[in-house]
Amino acid sequence: MQLEKYTIDQHNEGLSASHKRKLSALTSDIANAEAILERLVAFQVAIPSWALGTGGTRFARFAGGGEPRSLEEKIEDIALLHKLNRSSGAISLHIPWDIPKNGAAIKVLAAQHGIRFDAMNSNTFQDQPGQPLSYKFGSMQHVDKAVRRQAVEHNIEVIEHGMALGSESLTVWLSDGSCFPGQLNFRKAFENTLESLQEVYSALPDAWKMFVEYKAFEPNFYSTTVGDWGQSLLYATKLGPKAYTLVDLGHHLPNANIEQIVALLLMEGKLGGFHFNDSKYGDDDLTVGSIKPYQLFLIFNELVEGMDARGMNHTTDLGWMIDASHNVKDPLEDLLQSVEAIMITYAQALLVDRAALQAAQQNNDVVRAQEALQNAFRTDVRPLVAEARLRAGGALDPLQIFRKENVREHLVKQRGLKTIATGL
Amino acid sequence: MQLEKYTIDQHNEGLSASHKRKLSALTSDIANAEAILERLVAFQVAIPSWALGTGGTRFARFAGGGEPRSLEEKIEDIALLHKLNRSSGAISLHIPWDIPKNGAAIKVLAAQHGIRFDAMNSNTFQDQPGQPLSYKFGSMQHVDKAVRRQAVEHNIEVIEHGMALGSESLTVWLSDGSCFPGQLNFRKAFENTLESLQEVYSALPDAWKMFVEYKAFEPNFYSTTVGDWGQSLLYATKLGPKAYTLVDLGHHLPNANIEQIVALLLMEGKLGGFHFNDSKYGDDDLTVGSIKPYQLFLIFNELVEGMDARGMNHTTDLGWMIDASHNVKDPLEDLLQSVEAIMITYAQALLVDRAALQAAQQNNDVVRAQEALQNAFRTDVRPLVAEARLRAGGALDPLQIFRKENVREHLVKQRGLKTIATGL
Amino acid sequence: MQLEKYTIDQHNEGLSASHKRKLSALTSDIANAEAILERLVAFQVAIPSWALGTGGTRFARFAGGGEPRSLEEKIEDIALLHKLNRSSGAISLHIPWDIPKNGAAIKVLAAQHGIRFDAMNSNTFQDQPGQPLSYKFGSMQHVDKAVRRQAVEHNIEVIEHGMALGSESLTVWLSDGSCFPGQLNFRKAFENTLESLQEVYSALPDAWKMFVEYKAFEPNFYSTTVGDWGQSLLYATKLGPKAYTLVDLGHHLPNANIEQIVALLLMEGKLGGFHFNDSKYGDDDLTVGSIKPYQLFLIFNELVEGMDARGMNHTTDLGWMIDASHNVKDPLEDLLQSVEAIMITYAQALLVDRAALQAAQQNNDVVRAQEALQNAFRTDVRPLVAEARLRAGGALDPLQIFRKENVREHLVKQRGLKTIATGL
Amino acid sequence: MQLEKYTIDQHNEGLSASHKRKLSALTSDIANAEAILERLVAFQVAIPSWALGTGGTRFARFAGGGEPRSLEEKIEDIALLHKLNRSSGAISLHIPWDIPKNGAAIKVLAAQHGIRFDAMNSNTFQDQPGQPLSYKFGSMQHVDKAVRRQAVEHNIEVIEHGMALGSESLTVWLSDGSCFPGQLNFRKAFENTLESLQEVYSALPDAWKMFVEYKAFEPNFYSTTVGDWGQSLLYATKLGPKAYTLVDLGHHLPNANIEQIVALLLMEGKLGGFHFNDSKYGDDDLTVGSIKPYQLFLIFNELVEGMDARGMNHTTDLGWMIDASHNVKDPLEDLLQSVEAIMITYAQALLVDRAALQAAQQNNDVVRAQEALQNAFRTDVRPLVAEARLRAGGALDPLQIFRKENVREHLVKQRGLKTIATGL
């Protein structure tokens, strides 16, 4: 399914007058509109390869149709998103679900669509057919050195796949942990995991980063061996300068102050990247911004402040990825909504009057501090985000065009109704 | 401290051009702007008398200055708020903190400022000097009938005070519960509480409503005898048609879906009123909309939908109250922020395209349903809220004028630096 | 796999001296030991048919071996448990996973092992092959009457299967709900669900009970249409006297006081039954008593007190079932541990000095009330539970004999290593 | 109020026969009973000076009678506890609530009762009369260096008081944080706090330890500047080898796995001490073991395992303190219950068959691992704990003797009914 440029142009033309009017009403009040637009144009969010198919729960999975049947079709899907929003120019692959048969060809295909390869993801939370040893009782934490070795070697293979594709980072999410008190010796599980991570770390190319992801619970329901940011930071610090913490928004205990965690990790120079999604109860993997958009804004507020304080490049110095599961929505529509929510929130964070905020903080003027944040959050920045898309060659209203052009219907016709994307 | 009309007029004039521009840019996209404005003008939120002073925690209280020293000064403070935002035209009194020495005079004073008396609040969670029996182990739940009787009689007195002032509802919040397993027989505590509430109910004038407030925890840390909406509804149903459930946003377990509770209580015809505030961990009593503004929007969305489905009057058929504690902000500024957040959110809920939402729901089009809600929430409705204030005779930017006129400094000069408002 | 009686006898003989010594040391301090023993012998917990195989999460499933391949083998497995502990004399079937090909023969088979058929479970949370309409967007709540009708008819079929087997109750667990704000109209979802339940209710035989199970979240991650005990009670009350609430320990928000809920449902005459398991984060479905044994004790304390207050029969007036998922343990060993935990806890609850507890409550003597509960909980009642098993013909140490006799190895040999039990 | 030795002897004699019978029945099954008894005799838990009076909440405080009116009377109260249970031989003072007028005399008084001075507690969460600068917006985090300086100097004074009394550690609990998004710059708040702590650290005598306590929330309701173990560890690591993390059981987010945190802090050599209490919702400060006794056991299990792995002395290498608030119980009775719960749980942890547990872990035998823990937890070790008390010269049943001797009545007579202990 290819969307032609003139289709997008036509769509944009139809919305042009209304867009211009709204944009002008908005920018007349914003001093740094151009600077914000530049940043928005540059900002790219990686799409995880597993998010292109319908997700499921332990109870059921209700498949949609037209899901990608191969890595090539996954790239095709992301190309479509990127054509529409110009902010999805990266893919995050999962091994073994996405082992490229021909790495060079895949790299060319992606490059043709302006898509680069973001962090590679390894998988030691499932047993693959023919795998000699089982991860039932963990992988890098395992009491059996042979299992740990298998997990390490898998990660090294993932790095090699990534090198062939031009990726420069590895995300290690371990489901390792325990379901019952007594099952693990926590200390030994930590030490085994550290030893395993060190072996992977030593195989990491110079330019690469390793992201150590943490998660409070699920699929283990008593303990997780990389369970919170404190543990992840401990591993990353012991591993060395190429190791960083990765924050997934859904991987926290109830009521956690994620924005503070983000600020402190940035302070320590140890924030590596982000998995965006939203949630109400646990790792619900819902559309970004669909449940707690203000929390997302507060996180972006810390990101912008913290990256600027360290002179970091907003676009390239952190890994920006979505990690969601689409159980009741069309996966591509869901991703359009997620990227839109990220761009809106990033724009709002860029809009914060930093001088006013700092002055309020310096004076303990809590009322003014809140006003500084809420002024930005309450501003309707959608015209700015749309303008950034327009300037980058995308569509003013990606979702509208997706629907009007019957994209999913075309995909179903092309790929069939009962295809199932690899992944969960 | 009196704010003169010309001060407000001058302020409005200064902001007029900018306001008109923003309003016109906004309303050009809104079909029902006038209808929304009418509703906004009519909407009034009651200010609780205890929220006019600085709050505290069990650890400390850091008093501000210029706090009201009497019921008269509390009414004066609310009059000031109401003059600024024209949406604070009601007060919710707490007995015994606010026993009027001269009810008739107080009623006249309030009426002069356009303030009516909303729900009366009783207090059986503290022992008052000279009180014969202690509430240490509960009030209406107490194993000793004499304590229960004392609590009932106190509530009847509160009703009588309210009748003198023109109030028409009684909010019963009980801190009754237990701190340790075994302390209470849950069933007997429920039965005692029901019996006590029935005695109060039978003293309720015909036109009155009784609001049964629930709370998950604090100040009892094991169980609360009116602990959740299910228990409150059980009491209200057994009591009769004048008894309703009151929802305080901070009185839930982590992750509770409050908007669903609101929808179901409306369905049952048993939602009586609201205590607005915000929170991250427990009954934190923070400024409305300062932590989870989207949750507040989802609640208002249910309120509007549910009230319209039952043909209810938005302004008068439910009790709208703030219940907050101002530990680090000027109480009056905090209340201005809270009322503003309520008005903004109400306006956004009125803006929801109901037909589009219903169509999406009918088609299980989850993407469109989310768009319908987020379109409204992402709209910057502040010009509409300001316009409603302007039409009602208030200030375009209440907080700005409060600061510019040095209201707090005047109050400190007038009342002193070390006054302490009655209350917690 | 059959365990011969002499194997158990031999095992018991070996442990006899030690058991007698411990039992006598214990009972010398207990006034009502014989009465407790009688109750323990009578108490039976139903095993759910789906708990005989290895469970899984949305991420992975690590199968064990020797899982039952048919309903007959499931009954065989439960017969084995029951032979060992004499407290597992019931099975709770799930349709369509356990549709009996020959109901009469299955009934005879179960009866031979002393096993009766407890509550039947319907399934409208998954789509079955060939099913005309999908439950992707709910079943009994569905906007499409035809889907609701399909769900109702399925439940009626389940009742019919149950009648053939001698069951007398139906558990309705609905995963109905929504993943995103706006997806559902809460009120209409409730009304549709109520209408559907009423249609099932009207098909219920006179002697039957309907259990309306509630759950806070999962697999829907924004709202659940039977989400808490308040909602379940609302449905059950509207349905009529044969409808009851079913409590699953893992279906609550964090920090919920489940024992209070149990007490109030008993008070209302609306507690129907229990799903035992344990959890730390959500519906983790862990072994009973493995995480919060004291909470389990407090629940049993309310059950005993509340049932006695209403003159209920402990064994037959409530439905006692396990609902767990065995991801890292042998399912049969896990069930032995779960039943043991239930029996221990029930014994402790029976041991509570009710007169002392009531006197403490009557005097607000919180210290003594706590002592009354903890005295029972801290008592090592395992000899009592073992004696009850012995008297009923079971094994003193079921787990030991299970291991010593290599039961699982026999089952693997007989059924194979890669069998997969029907279910999740 | 003095309890004479013969009163205790008489009491013990009366219970002696029954005690001996139970002890002998118990120890006949325990290989290492004598070793456990030795450890129990040695184990001492410090009583915080503020826990000797009735606590309260932000809503109310219902005072008891006979509360200590001076530091001398506080020591007297602890002496009484210690005489009864021989495990309360330490006091943890709070400055400024307990500034000794004559340090040397106080030291002698305490020594006469066998009581030593455990960690000193500073207070920068309240403003004291006459204090030049306010802690309303924090102390060590404060944007104003002068406020930070005041907080540092206060802590240095606390160290000096402690030196005079023979204490060797300082607990720094900061309530610093924020109530609203935007109020703080998280990074600067961390840096300010670190700088302040470093200044205190540099005033720390060589033999001293500094405990950095963390807390998730309350009294600040948006962020806490030492908010979790990860942050505390970061401070402690940056401060140096004399700085440690202090764990208070009630200071975590819902569902946190505290035992894992404890194990990892021990692994890092950075666990300093403990504040024991129990809770269901937040920092509820309930009696130890009254809500989640199994969690307490799992924590002690990690403590014993981890201290042994590092060759640490159980009694002296960690700071063991109670931190509770007694709202509905007699404070002294509550403390007796708390210490009893600690001793019981410590005994159970010592009882765990470590070899069996390790073997189970090594074989991923989750069932056996659970059995190893539950065997210990289900054992009724109360006779062991009583025997340890007896050997140390205490009472077999402290609570019974406390009641029988009418201790509280004597204290009320002596000190009055309306005394209020200094503290919260």
Side-chain angles (χ1 to χ4, degrees), chain A residues 185-338:
Chain A
N185 180 300
F186 293 128
R187 186 180 64 254
K188 291 181 188 163
F190 186 99
E191 289 167 350
N192 286 340
T193 303
L194 179 60
E195 176 205 273
S196 306
L197 287 171
Q198 281 165 335
E199 289 176 29
V200 175
Y201 187 87
S202 62
L204 212 60
D206 279 352
W208 277 52
K209 294 178 180 175
M210 180 196 276
F211 299 144
V212 182
E213 190 168 357
Y214 61 90
K215 185 171 184 181
F217 60 94
E218 196 217 17
N220 270 297
F221 294 115
Y222 171 62
S223 76
T224 304
T225 298
V226 191
D228 63 12
W229 77 277
Q231 293 172 59
S232 172
L233 179 61
L234 215 49
Y235 286 109
T237 303
K238 289 173 193 285
L239 285 169
K242 293 186 287 186
Y244 296 85
T245 293
L246 183 137
V247 177
D248 181 306
L249 295 181
H251 290 191
H252 300 83
L253 292 175
N255 304 340
N257 188 323
I258 303 173
E259 49 272 32
Q260 188 181 13
I261 292 171
V262 165
L264 297 181
L265 286 170
L266 272 170
M267 177 186 80
E268 290 295 294
K270 279 299 197 183
L271 182 64
F274 249 82
H275 275 181
F276 290 112
N277 49 48
D278 213 335
S279 62
K280 190 168 175 64
Y281 305 101
D283 187 31
D284 308 336
D285 278 334
L286 302 178
T287 318
V288 181
S290 62
I291 302 291
K292 301 174 195 154
Y294 193 55
Q295 185 195 58
L296 186 67
F297 166 75
L298 295 173
I299 290 167
F300 260 104
N301 179 53
E302 294 304 325
L303 286 167
V304 166
E305 199 276 344
M307 290 191 294
D308 287 351
R310 297 182 68 87
M312 291 167 72
N313 181 308
H314 288 202
T315 310
T316 56
D317 282 355
L318 290 179
W320 307 107
M321 289 161 272
I322 286 173
D323 182 11
S325 179
H326 319 294
N327 300 342
V328 294
K329 288 179 178 175
D330 181 303
L332 293 176
E333 294 186 0
D334 194 336
L335 288 164
L336 287 175
Q337 289 187 312
S338 280

Side-chain angles (χ1 to χ4, degrees), chain D residues 260-414:
Chain D
Q260 187 182 14
I261 292 171
V262 165
L264 296 181
L265 286 170
L266 272 171
M267 176 185 80
E268 291 297 293
K270 279 297 198 185
L271 182 65
F274 249 82
H275 275 182
F276 291 111
N277 50 46
D278 212 336
S279 62
K280 190 168 174 64
Y281 305 102
D283 188 30
D284 308 336
D285 278 336
L286 302 178
T287 318
V288 181
S290 63
I291 303 290
K292 299 175 196 155
Y294 193 53
Q295 185 195 58
L296 185 67
F297 166 75
L298 295 174
I299 290 167
F300 260 105
N301 179 52
E302 294 304 324
L303 287 167
V304 167
E305 198 277 343
M307 290 192 293
D308 287 351
R310 298 181 68 87
M312 291 167 73
N313 182 308
H314 288 203
T315 310
T316 57
D317 283 354
L318 290 180
W320 307 108
M321 290 160 273
I322 286 173
D323 182 9
S325 179
H326 320 293
N327 300 343
V328 294
K329 289 179 177 174
D330 181 302
L332 293 176
E333 294 186 0
D334 195 334
L335 288 164
L336 287 175
Q337 289 187 311
S338 280
V339 174
E340 174 83 1
I342 292 169
M343 299 307 285
I344 285 174
T345 313
Y346 179 43
Q348 290 169 329
L350 292 170
L351 206 62
V352 170
D353 183 339
R354 299 264 150 225
L357 180 58
Q358 283 167 30
Q361 289 170 345
Q362 201 54 36
N363 296 314
N364 292 308
D365 189 339
V366 186
V367 166
R368 282 275 182 251
Q370 179 176 318
E371 293 288 307
L373 293 184
Q374 292 194 330
N375 277 341
F377 182 71
R378 287 169 175 167
T379 302
D380 188 343
V381 297
R382 287 177 295 177
L384 269 182
V385 173
E387 176 67 12
R389 264 198 307 269
L390 190 68
R391 293 190 184 183
L396 280 172
D397 188 338
L399 202 53
Q400 192 188 92
I401 202 168
F402 185 92
R403 288 270 174 122
K404 201 179 157 204
E405 296 299 316
N406 299 310
V407 174
R408 180 56 62 189
E409 289 73 8
H410 280 99
L411 292 174
V412 168
K413 202 173 291 174
Q414 182 186 325

Side-chain angles (χ1 to χ4, degrees), chain C residues 21-22 25 28-29 254-257 259 280-281 287-295 328-330 333-334 337 340-341 344 364-368 370-371 374-375 377-380 382 399-400 403, chain D residues 21-22 25 28-29 254-257 259 280-281 287-295 328-330 333-334 337 340-341 344 364-368 370-371 374-375 377-380 382 399-400 403:
Chain C
R21 184 172 46 78
K22 289 178 190 170
S28 69
D29 288 322
N255 304 341
N257 188 323
E259 49 270 32
K280 190 168 175 65
Y281 304 101
T287 318
V288 181
S290 62
I291 303 289
K292 301 175 196 154
Y294 194 53
Q295 184 195 59
V328 294
K329 289 178 178 175
D330 181 303
E333 293 186 1
D334 195 336
Q337 288 187 312
E340 175 82 1
I344 285 175
N364 293 308
D365 189 338
V366 186
V367 167
R368 281 275 181 254
Q370 179 176 318
E371 292 288 306
Q374 291 193 331
N375 276 342
F377 182 70
R378 287 169 174 168
T379 302
D380 189 344
R382 287 177 295 178
L399 202 53
Q400 191 187 92
R403 287 270 174 121
Chain D
R21 185 172 45 76
K22 287 178 191 169
S28 69
D29 287 322
N255 304 341
N257 188 323
E259 49 271 32
K280 190 168 174 64
Y281 305 102
T287 318
V288 181
S290 63
I291 303 290
K292 299 175 196 155
Y294 193 53
Q295 185 195 58
V328 294
K329 289 179 177 174
D330 181 302
E333 294 186 0
D334 195 334
Q337 289 187 311
E340 174 83 1
I344 285 174
N364 292 308
D365 189 339
V366 186
V367 166
R368 282 275 182 251
Q370 179 176 318
E371 293 288 307
Q374 292 194 330
N375 277 341
F377 182 71
R378 287 169 175 167
T379 302
D380 188 343
R382 287 177 295 177
L399 202 53
Q400 192 188 92
R403 288 270 174 122

Side-chain angles (χ1 to χ4, degrees), chain A residues 21-22 28-29 255-256 280 289 294 329 333 337 365 367 370-371 374-375 378 380 382 403, chain B residues 21-22 28-29 255-256 280 289-290 294 329 333 337 365 367 370-371 374-375 378 380 382 403:
Chain A
R21 183 172 46 76
K22 289 178 189 168
S28 69
D29 287 322
N255 304 340
K280 190 168 175 64
Y294 193 55
K329 288 179 178 175
E333 294 186 0
Q337 289 187 312
D365 189 339
V367 166
Q370 180 176 318
E371 293 288 306
Q374 291 193 331
N375 276 341
R378 287 170 174 167
D380 188 344
R382 287 177 295 177
R403 287 271 175 122
Chain B
R21 184 172 46 76
K22 288 178 189 167
S28 69
D29 287 322
N255 304 340
K280 189 167 175 67
S290 62
Y294 193 55
K329 289 179 177 176
E333 293 186 1
Q337 289 187 311
D365 188 339
V367 167
Q370 180 177 317
E371 293 288 306
Q374 292 193 331
N375 277 341
R378 287 170 175 167
D380 188 344
R382 287 177 294 178
R403 288 269 173 123

Side-chain angles (χ1 to χ4, degrees), chain A residues 144-165:
Chain A
D144 180 353
K145 171 86 185 170
V147 178
R148 303 202 295 272
R149 190 68 220 153
Q150 176 180 287
V152 168
E153 278 161 12
H154 166 68
N155 273 274
I156 293 174
E157 272 173 40
V158 172
I159 294 173
E160 285 160 5
H161 285 302
M163 290 171 71
L165 295 168

